[in-house]
Amino acid sequence: MPVSSVSDFEHFAEKVKKQISTKVRRVEVETSDYLLAKENEAEHKINSWTKHAHFEWDQERYAQEQRSHNSIEEEVNRKWSEFKKERKSALRSALKIRLYQIFPTLAECFISQISQKYQTGTLTMPEAYMSFVTKEGFLLHMCEKEQIIFTSGNLYIEYSVERIIEELTDEIDSRMHFKEDTWQV
């Protein structure tokens, strides 16, 4: 068997060291590349999850804002409707009181108009208004209610505060203009 020299052994050891060193560097590069790839993958997943979570949060926030906005709008509309209803009711009540106060004058005007327009007919009214009929040809009937009813053939006309209010309801509603915090008629 041939005898090996120390230099052959050292040369062999050096060769093995280089092979091991190359293999270690290759494993280190592969490990570094693998680690970098895993870090990039994890960062991508974190970014993707964060974007998704942010998107979901934005969607939920928007939905909550819409629900809140709708709720507030409904409440404002409800309150505004109540306010308008109260104002209309207050106006009708005030008008009704005022009409009752001036009804004798209105009754006199109504009777005068009927007397000018018609030659005959029947008037049903309180006794206090009978003196307003100055023309012959009208039958007079007394009633207790604060109203005047004129009939002539198929014609029937009722004149009372309730009837005036009823006739004016659409007019009142159409003439009430609500702007900001004030209302006007």
Side-chain angles (χ1 to χ4, degrees):
M1 194 165 153
V3 178
S4 302
S5 66
V6 172
S7 72
D8 284 339
F9 181 75
E10 286 178 0
H11 184 55
F12 175 74
E14 195 60 41
K15 189 177 175 185
V16 170
K17 271 186 183 180
K18 281 184 182 179
Q19 285 176 347
I20 290 174
S21 177
T22 303
K23 196 173 192 179
V24 167
R25 268 189 250 125
R26 187 170 36 95
V27 169
E28 283 177 346
V29 167
E30 286 174 359
T31 304
S32 176
D33 288 346
Y34 178 79
L35 181 61
L36 186 60
K38 286 298 181 182
E39 284 177 354
N40 286 339
E41 185 182 329
E43 189 174 325
H44 177 71
K45 283 181 179 178
I46 289 170
N47 287 339
S48 177
W49 183 87
T50 303
K51 284 180 184 176
H52 181 71
H54 193 274
F55 176 76
E56 284 182 349
W57 183 83
D58 280 344
Q59 293 288 72
E60 180 59 31
R61 181 180 52 87
Y62 178 76
Q64 180 61 36
E65 285 175 356
Q66 287 302 106
R67 285 190 297 270
S68 296
H69 176 75
N70 291 343
S71 174
I72 291 168
E73 189 174 341
E74 287 172 8
E75 181 67 15
V76 166
N77 287 340
R78 187 180 63 75
K79 291 284 187 183
W80 183 242
S81 181
E82 286 175 11
F83 173 78
K84 290 193 304 187
K85 187 177 178 181
E86 288 171 6
R87 294 294 87 208
K88 287 176 184 179
S89 177
L91 178 62
R92 283 187 190 96
S93 293
L95 181 60
K96 192 173 188 177
I97 290 168
R98 183 68 179 127
L99 285 172
Y100 271 118
Q101 291 171 347
I102 64 168
F103 191 74
T105 305
L106 295 174
E108 185 176 6
C109 293
F110 175 74
I111 291 169
S112 173
Q113 286 294 315
I114 292 293
S115 296
Q116 289 175 11
K117 216 172 196 182
Y118 302 97
Q119 300 301 317
T120 61
T122 304
L123 287 164
T124 305
M125 66 185 107
E127 186 177 2
Y129 304 142
M130 289 187 178
S131 63
F132 299 147
V133 180
T134 57
K135 200 173 188 185
E136 298 287 326
F138 289 100
L139 293 173
L140 302 178
H141 294 285
M142 193 170 68
C143 72
E144 296 296 320
K145 197 170 180 185
E146 193 72 12
Q147 69 180 8
I148 301 170
I149 297 174
F150 173 72
T151 56
S152 178
N154 291 335
L155 180 65
Y156 177 90
I157 301 173
E158 177 186 336
Y159 194 73
S160 65
V161 171
E162 289 78 17
R163 187 74 175 138
I164 293 170
I165 295 288
E166 186 179 310
E167 292 290 324
L168 291 176
T169 295
D170 291 339
E171 186 73 21
I172 290 169
D173 290 346
S174 69
R175 299 236 181 226
M176 289 185 84
H177 302 287
F178 292 91
K179 295 179 182 177
E180 295 177 6
D181 294 334
T182 61
W183 64 276
Q184 302 149 355
V185 176

